[in-house]
Amino acid sequence: MSLRNRWRKFLNVFMLAMTGVCAVAAVSILFLILGYLAWNGWRSLDWNFFTRLPKPPGELGGGMANAIVGSAQIVLLATLIGAPVGFFGGVYLSEFGGRGFSFVVRYVADLLNGVPSIVIGILAWTVVVVPLHRFSALAGALALGLMLIPITMRQTEQFLRDVPQSMREGALALGASKWKMIATVVVPAAMRGIATGMILGVARIAGETAPLLFTSLNNQFWSSGWNQPTASLPVMIFSHAIAPYEDWHRQAWAAGLVLLLLVLLANVAARFILSRGISAQRGYL
Amino acid sequence: MVTATQSLRPQAGAGAFWRRLVNGDEVARLVTLAFASTVLLIVAVLVFELFRGSAVARHRFGWAFFVTQNWDPVAEQFGALPFIYGTVVTSAVALLIAVPLSLGAAVFLAELAPQRISDACTFLIELLAAVPSVIYGLMAIFTLVPLLRDYVQPFLGKTLGFLPFFQGPSFGAGYLAAGLILAVMICPFIISISREALFGVPREQREAALALGATQWESTWQVVIPHARLGIIGSVFLALARALGETIAVTMVIGNDPSIRASLFAPGYTIAAVLANEFTEATGELYLDSLVELGLVLFLLTMVINALAQLLVVLTSRRGSAHP
């Protein structure tokens, strides 16, 4: 074998092995994060974390009960704002859209999806915080809801498009009007996928910190209403991690573990539902 | 006759419209159209508010805003250059590390790995994309920063210290830490989109290269990757836009120092990080407007890059469908 061919053989094996190393490295990062967070978070996690308010710096103990409830409040309201808008928009793109206008909407939705979350935070700040003269859960929820709209819209559209054309034709042939066809045949057929997409979208906004920093701000106590500053888990993790107190770092690890587990659980569950849904559909067809 | 048809036509049109309205189709179309249009409205309001909100700073500083290094809220002097520099440098470091790594992983997942393993790995990598950025920041601040400060930066300083990028004291927090954590965060995007682009390359291309005597690596490197290049470049642009706009993880490890330094060890600042840190405590109209102008810059930057990326991805998917 000539030297050149030997070199080519070597290069082949070496580079292919390197691609394997790259893949292993990329995947191992997930386990590294999970493992390290579980190790640190588990040691710091106790019952107080879920039931108590944060303690002032210097005092040991305390928890993040207000942040857990606050996050739930903000995410719930954000979902109520973002999910319906995204859903109906997705229905338009898939069922009513022509070529020109829906192409523009699709393109702009993707661009909006790529806008840095902190810029969305500025928008919510100018629209809600400035006129009301106070930071509020409402402003935070609006910021997250705005982020949810393009995500839900594009996903709903995708799943509606996957519904076979023959089902639409069948419904129309039976004399259903178009909106009836959509409401009783197309959307139910795609419901599983749409729900999954929404779970994924909600999981994504639930972990967002940047848009909450100057909309819902933070709160060391229970929030007294929708128009008051409200604590949330991501902001709490951020403020505790950059603070110079050892016990706050402990709390940050615990909160990080809880947040990551919730987000990953939602992701795994969503994908599990989706894969089962597809195989079940294939079984019927 | 003529007048009859003329008078009938609009009635027929209106009648058809009315019938559709009554049976609900037109209502459904208009309602969903309104919801779909909200994204256009949101972007329009966003642009308007960013422009209006930054008016004072734009009039006061003009284009000098982008070339001034001084960021001094007390003296009301605001220049964006340190933040733009920090944003560009951290993103460049992130791309330098993430692109080869992700491309390698994507090649492995698309070309070498059996379908099952490839799918399993992709699932895990997509989970990685779902990890909230504050978690990355938490990991970085307590593991990456000490590691860099105590081991990596002294080592780099000793071996590559003749380069201006690796000089100076080791702080841990700085451009390098931010670039590294950004690299980790954008890898999943590049991998999963590039993998799809590689899957889109027709099988015949590989077979032709192999039949001509190319090794598998040569076929991959000289045929498959060039064929999928638009999709890969698109994924890199998408990742770049993410890196430019990433806020929390970077804020936690960048060091928060608005100055321009060549060394990657030095603490710096990015646009997103300064917004996160100073927006709530900005006092005075000029200060606030300068921050909003930074937001506008970030918005336009990511918009342009995302638009390019979107276009590239659309082009590849069109071209891919031309070769079934």
Side-chain angles (χ1 to χ4, degrees):
Chain A
M1 199 161 28
S2 72
L3 195 63
R4 182 175 145 69
N5 276 351
R6 220 174 273 174
W7 166 247
R8 287 176 58 203
K9 278 255 158 80
F10 165 75
L11 196 68
N12 182 39
V13 172
F14 178 75
M15 292 311 286
L16 293 181
M18 285 311 286
T19 62
V21 171
C22 289
V24 169
V27 172
S28 61
I29 290 170
L30 179 69
F31 291 104
L32 210 74
I33 292 179
L34 259 179
Y36 201 81
L37 204 61
W39 167 247
N40 273 296
W42 189 251
R43 284 188 310 176
S44 323
L45 206 57
D46 52 13
W47 192 241
N48 284 344
F49 177 83
F50 297 101
T51 55
R52 297 280 176 85
L53 286 175
K55 287 264 171 76
E59 279 183 56
L60 295 183
M64 292 192 181
N66 60 339
I68 296 170
V69 173
S71 254
Q73 273 183 323
I74 294 172
V75 169
L76 184 73
L77 190 57
T79 310
L80 289 180
I81 296 170
V85 178
F87 172 77
F88 286 113
V91 170
Y92 175 82
L93 289 181
S94 163
E95 304 299 319
F96 294 102
R99 301 199 113 229
F101 182 69
S102 59
F103 177 80
V104 172
V105 170
R106 211 169 285 140
Y107 200 77
V108 171
D110 284 347
L111 287 183
L112 186 61
N113 200 5
V115 170
S117 54
I118 190 128
V119 176
I120 302 285
I122 297 181
L123 177 63
W125 180 82
T126 52
V127 175
V128 181
V129 176
V130 174
L132 295 182
H133 297 295
R134 55 159 66 103
F135 299 104
S136 62
L138 197 67
L142 181 72
L144 295 187
L146 291 181
M147 295 183 65
L148 191 59
I149 290 174
I151 303 174
T152 321
M153 194 178 283
R154 294 291 275 141
Q155 264 166 351
T156 303
E157 186 204 351
Q158 285 301 324
F159 286 112
L160 288 177
R161 275 171 188 274
D162 286 346
V163 175
Q165 202 61 29
S166 54
M167 289 177 73
R168 294 193 179 84
E169 286 160 2
L172 291 177
L174 287 172
S177 60
K178 193 167 180 181
W179 76 267
K180 243 184 181 153
M181 175 264 289
I182 294 167
T184 58
V185 175
V186 181
V187 169
M191 208 53 226
R192 199 193 278 264
I194 293 171
T196 315
M198 282 190 188
I199 295 175
L200 288 176
V202 170
R204 182 172 152 206
I205 59 163
E208 281 292 342
T209 319
L212 298 180
L213 284 174
F214 37 81
T215 49
S216 65
L217 207 67
N218 200 351
N219 196 337
Q220 294 296 317
F221 306 98
W222 293 104
S223 164
S224 54
W226 290 105
N227 59 353
Q228 294 296 325
T230 306
S232 59
L233 266 183
V235 177
M236 214 56 142
I237 296 172
F238 174 64
S239 65
H240 275 55
I242 60 172
Y245 316 110
E246 200 59 42
D247 199 53
W248 278 29
H249 294 168
R250 193 183 63 80
Q251 299 270 0
W253 282 114
L257 181 64
V258 170
L259 182 65
L260 185 67
L261 283 183
L262 286 177
V263 169
L264 288 189
L265 214 66
N267 269 272
V268 172
R271 275 160 222 265
F272 184 68
I273 295 169
L274 196 63
S275 65
R276 280 196 40 167
I278 287 168
S279 56
Q281 244 178 13
R282 276 189 194 142
Y284 282 121
L285 295 170
Chain B
M1 261 316 257
V2 174
T3 48
T5 46
Q6 271 174 346
S7 61
L8 265 175
R9 276 240 170 94
Q11 267 180 5
F17 180 78
W18 184 244
R19 265 201 306 284
R20 281 203 313 250
L21 203 61
V22 168
N23 74 17
D25 283 358
E26 199 59 24
V27 177
R29 196 183 78 84
L30 290 175
V31 168
T32 54
L33 174 70
F35 279 113
S37 309
T38 50
V39 290
L40 305 182
L41 182 74
I42 293 168
V43 171
V45 173
L46 185 56
V47 173
F48 173 74
E49 291 289 354
L50 286 175
F51 261 96
R52 204 187 56 159
S54 59
V56 175
R58 276 187 294 115
H59 287 151
R60 175 74 175 273
F61 301 118
W63 293 104
F65 186 67
F66 301 102
V67 290
T68 316
Q69 286 197 34
N70 206 5
W71 184 267
D72 187 353
V74 180
E76 297 227 305
Q77 280 303 315
F78 300 103
L81 197 58
F83 308 108
I84 296 172
Y85 175 78
T87 306
V88 170
V89 167
T90 50
S91 300
V93 171
L95 284 186
L96 273 180
I97 298 165
V99 169
L101 186 78
S102 311
L103 201 54
V107 165
F108 178 81
L109 294 178
E111 304 289 315
L112 294 177
Q115 187 69 37
R116 260 169 190 279
I117 294 179
S118 176
D119 285 345
C121 285
T122 309
F123 171 66
L124 292 175
I125 286 169
E126 277 168 9
L127 278 189
L128 207 52
V131 173
S133 64
V134 71
I135 303 277
Y136 282 106
L138 187 68
M139 291 292 295
I141 205 170
F142 291 120
T143 58
L144 186 66
V145 167
L147 213 65
L148 282 177
R149 185 183 56 218
D150 297 337
Y151 301 104
V152 178
Q153 289 181 348
F155 172 76
L156 281 175
K158 250 181 244 158
T159 50
L160 297 167
F162 56 90
L163 293 170
F165 313 120
F166 302 114
Q167 287 170 355
S170 312
F171 292 108
Y175 297 118
L176 189 61
L180 276 172
I181 200 66
L182 280 177
V184 172
M185 294 178 73
I186 61 178
C187 267
F189 294 98
I190 308 184
I191 294 175
S192 62
I193 301 174
S194 298
R195 173 176 171 266
E196 291 304 315
L198 291 173
F199 273 148
V201 177
R203 195 178 178 74
E204 293 81 1
Q205 296 276 340
R206 297 183 182 88
E207 285 167 356
L210 294 176
L212 286 172
T215 62
Q216 188 168 8
W217 170 251
E218 285 165 345
S219 133
T220 304
W221 183 247
Q222 295 172 12
V223 177
V224 177
I225 290 181
H227 199 276
R229 67 180 181 280
L230 282 182
I232 293 170
I233 296 170
S235 78
V236 172
F237 273 106
L238 278 182
L240 175 61
R242 293 254 156 201
L244 292 172
E246 176 47 48
T247 310
I248 282 299
V250 172
T251 309
M252 289 163 93
V253 298
I254 187 74
N256 302 339
D257 179 19
S259 53
I260 296 178
R261 299 214 185 81
S263 172
L264 294 179
F265 298 169
Y269 229 147
T270 67
I271 297 177
V274 74
L275 288 174
N277 277 332
E278 298 187 6
F279 206 87
T280 46
E281 48 203 51
T283 48
E285 207 175 14
L286 191 61
Y287 192 4
L288 206 55
D289 280 31
S290 301
L291 286 171
V292 175
E293 186 170 358
L294 281 176
L296 178 66
V297 172
L298 187 63
F299 170 76
L300 292 178
L301 211 60
T302 49
M303 263 317 213
V304 169
I305 290 168
N306 262 318
L308 276 174
Q310 233 69 258
L311 216 60
L312 284 173
V313 173
V314 167
L315 280 179
T316 38
S317 60
R318 287 241 175 99
R319 203 186 52 166
S321 62
H323 305 265

